[in-house]
Amino acid sequence: AQKITQTQPGMFVQEKEAVTLDCTYDTSDQSYGLFWYKQPSSGEMIFLIYQGSYDEQNATEGRYSLNFQKARKSANLVISASQLGDSAMYFCAMSFSSGSARQLTFGSGTQLTVLP
Amino acid sequence: DAGVTQSPTHLIKTRGQQVTLRCSPKSGHDTVSWYQQALGQGPQFIFQYYEEEERQRGNFPDRFSGHQFPNYSSELNVNALLLGDSALYLCASSYRFSNYGYTFGSGTRLTVV
């Protein structure tokens, strides 16, 4: 069974500093995708970054980078130069094949608060 | 380019009633998945529709059912509502069985009283 673990229920970071949000996963599949989503209080899931299981280089998207360590089954999100608008809930998720479909499994999330 | 549209945004229902939630996928997407997100938790997969058929189902009872229409839009129906069904219901669309490219709507917040 696929499982995503986020061990940090809440994190605080000073504005303009970098922060790392932890994510570990468990799967026996060889082909899977790892995602990070941001969910503000409005509820919408906003896509941040994606890493494929066969990608050798870590993914980057602007201020977001994914520290992918396949052997350790970890996919940590690094946010550089934090902004007040980064305060939100962050979810790590994994896509995998299930029967004739692909589905996402989510972690329990990390609430990030950026302090001025 | 319109993203995923969900309606209604908020809904209050009484225990035992039935509810229908609606989702229009992003333009170019043909696959719709539904997720339930209880307060303080991550979303849980309910089911996925492609070519108007339910392709996979998560660990949800038969009270949860769905439908996909020829224009790829989808409905989620929940019968005999329980207090525990109170949650944010998220719709996500994608293209075929892509391992990437999921787009989520803003969700429908259902409160069962």
Side-chain angles (χ1 to χ4, degrees):
Chain A
Q2 285 72 15
K3 186 177 180 181
I4 296 281
T5 302
Q6 295 180 254
T7 57
Q8 307 155 313
M11 288 281 287
F12 292 88
V13 64
Q14 210 68 38
E15 192 179 7
K16 300 180 184 178
E17 292 187 347
V19 62
T20 298
L21 306 184
D22 294 341
C23 172
T24 58
Y25 61 93
D26 189 18
T27 181
S28 56
D29 287 0
Q30 297 301 309
S31 175
Y32 52 88
L34 294 160
F35 300 75
W36 278 92
Y37 287 91
K38 172 184 178 181
Q39 188 178 44
S41 56
S42 61
E44 183 180 2
M45 282 285 186
I46 301 170
F47 167 77
L48 296 178
I49 197 166
Y50 166 81
Q51 178 87 39
S53 58
Y54 294 114
D55 295 340
E56 294 187 353
Q57 287 195 325
N58 288 342
T60 59
E61 292 282 352
R63 295 187 298 111
Y64 305 107
S65 60
L66 198 152
N67 185 2
F68 181 46
Q69 297 187 45
K70 195 170 183 177
R72 297 181 60 184
K73 293 189 174 179
S74 74
N76 298 339
L77 176 70
V78 180
I79 305 175
S80 62
S82 296
Q83 302 172 356
L84 295 178
D86 293 335
S87 293
M89 196 73 167
Y90 288 80
F91 288 98
C92 179
M94 177 170 60
S95 70
F96 61 95
S97 293
S98 180
S100 60
R102 296 195 73 89
Q103 63 183 76
L104 291 173
T105 292
F106 287 82
S108 55
T110 296
Q111 180 68 48
L112 177 66
T113 302
V114 180
L115 303 172
Chain B
D1 183 20
V4 176
T5 304
Q6 290 188 244
S7 62
T9 54
H10 294 83
L11 203 53
I12 300 175
K13 288 287 189 178
T14 303
R15 188 172 49 184
Q17 285 188 317
Q18 179 263 344
V19 67
T20 297
L21 310 182
R22 296 176 176 81
C23 172
S24 293
K26 181 179 178 178
S27 177
H29 286 183
D30 57 7
T31 302
V32 173
S33 303
W34 287 92
Y35 291 81
Q36 180 196 64
Q37 185 179 17
L39 195 62
Q41 299 181 19
Q44 299 289 320
F45 176 75
I46 303 176
F47 42 54
Q48 182 178 81
Y49 277 83
Y50 171 67
E51 290 187 331
E52 302 180 46
E53 290 186 15
E54 181 182 296
R55 297 293 175 163
Q56 190 67 341
R57 186 179 186 91
N59 189 24
F60 280 81
D62 292 344
R63 298 186 299 107
F64 289 77
S65 64
H67 188 78
Q68 186 179 35
F69 299 93
N71 67 353
Y72 309 121
S73 67
S74 176
E75 288 182 349
L76 164 64
N77 301 292
V78 186
N79 294 323
L81 284 167
L82 304 174
L83 297 180
D85 295 332
S86 295
L88 179 67
Y89 288 84
L90 293 163
C91 172
S93 71
S94 59
Y95 178 69
R96 303 292 163 87
F97 304 125
S98 172
N99 193 28
Y100 177 69
Y102 298 91
T103 301
F104 281 83
S106 297
T108 294
R109 194 168 298 277
L110 172 65
T111 303
V112 182
V113 297

